[in-house]
Amino acid sequence: MTWHIIGAGAIGSLWADRFHQQGEEIRLILRTEAQVQHFKDQGSRLVIEEQSNVSTVPCFASTTSEINTPITHLLIPTKAFDAMDAIKSVQSKLAPAATIIVMINGYGVQQQIEKQFSQYNLLFASTTDGAYKNAPFTTVKAATGTTLIGTLSHSNSIKTSPLTGAKLTDAIDEVIWKKVAINCCINPITAIHDCENGAIFATGERAQSVFQLAEEIEALEHAMGIKRQTPLLQEVEQVAELTANNRSSMLQDVTNGRRTEVEHINGAIVALAKEFGVEAPCNLEMLNTIQNLTRPVR
Ligand code: KPL
């Protein structure tokens, strides 16, 4: 099987490594000729660092226009705001019943993709793997998490996961929601205070914001008819403790002067709150603060 992967981001690189270990061929789809040339100049391989282990993943890379065989298996591990354009950019190269796996953060884009590309075998995945890039084609694997995969359209059920190691779920929508709820409470606090996940309760001010964010999200869940088993605050505490030394993805984006996914995280809550007639002032404050926040690159 040949896997096409959009971009050479950290999570996509981890999956390229896994595909390679299973003997599958990997083709990266890069945005520009210059990126393809850079990749070739670096030896046409991705580098994965995990503690003292370094592995390399040989891959073929091209831009979309150079693809000349239909794409049968496509992984989209992009930022939430890039996912829709990513699919559109390769649509003319997709095989009629291509399997497309969308592995993005945030909430809302998945549903838009589901609506617009329902002719394909669309799957959505959510991962707790931790990884970051420390050079253009080099990824540091920080934590092995769990990846869950499933369909949003319940009529389109699947029997086996096309991603070896990813667990099938028939409730991927709930998994995606649960993750975004946690991200809403952790990520902006870490980005605003330049702190690791473990420090979100370190001051009264931070803790107060986390409490309010969680409260607003639970009120929204109530309005939306979403039932939860565990209080959101308890889940946030658990994840913050488990990932205490992590710098959240939003903090990394802010630190590196990159666009964050806040519109698809706290922004998704703000939009839904409006739709369902509930208040979400703290989520709105996080959205505005993060949008205005840029930290010098270091
Ligand atoms: O998903 C994460 C992120 O950083 O985006 C958490 C769970 C907060 C781990 O860092």
Side-chain angles (χ1 to χ4, degrees), residues 105 179 182-183 186-187 197 239 243 246-250:
N105 284 330
K179 181 159 194 246
I182 292 169
N183 286 148
I186 298 182
N187 295 27
N197 295 354
V239 174
T243 63
N246 274 26
R247 292 171 68 75
S248 78
S249 53
M250 197 176 284

Side-chain angles (χ1 to χ4, degrees), residues 261-280:
E261 294 179 297
V262 73
E263 285 94 347
H264 300 284
I265 298 177
N266 301 88
I269 299 300
V270 170
L272 286 165
K274 207 168 163 193
E275 191 181 326
F276 284 86
V278 297
E279 300 287 311

Side-chain angles (χ1 to χ4, degrees), residues 199-213:
I200 59 166
F201 294 105
T203 67
E205 185 202 352
R206 292 180 202 173
Q208 192 47 45
S209 300
V210 180
F211 296 156
Q212 197 181 334
L213 289 164

Side-chain angles (χ1 to χ4, degrees), residues 14 19 78 101 103 192 209 216 234 251 256 298:
L14 292 189
F19 294 145
T78 62
I101 299 176
M103 193 181 285
I192 292 167
S209 300
E216 289 176 10
Q234 198 177 318
L251 171 58
N256 292 301
R298 59 180 183 202

Side-chain angles (χ1 to χ4, degrees), residues 5-19 28 46 48 75-79 101-105 125-133 138-147 163 179 249 252 261:
I5 302 178
I6 305 260
I11 295 296
S13 298
L14 292 189
W15 281 100
D17 187 26
R18 290 172 184 149
F19 294 145
L28 302 181
L46 296 169
I48 312 289
L75 178 64
I76 307 200
T78 62
K79 290 287 190 186
I101 299 176
V102 180
M103 193 181 285
I104 58 174
N105 284 330
S126 176
T127 186
T128 56
D129 281 339
Y132 60 92
K133 303 268 293 281
T138 302
T139 294
V140 178
K141 185 173 180 182
T144 303
T146 307
T147 302
L163 290 182
K179 181 159 194 246
S249 53
Q252 289 180 47
E261 294 179 297

Side-chain angles (χ1 to χ4, degrees), residues 33-44:
E33 286 296 343
Q35 287 171 326
V36 171
Q37 195 52 50
H38 187 188
F39 185 70
K40 287 180 181 164
D41 294 344
Q42 304 255 314
S44 291

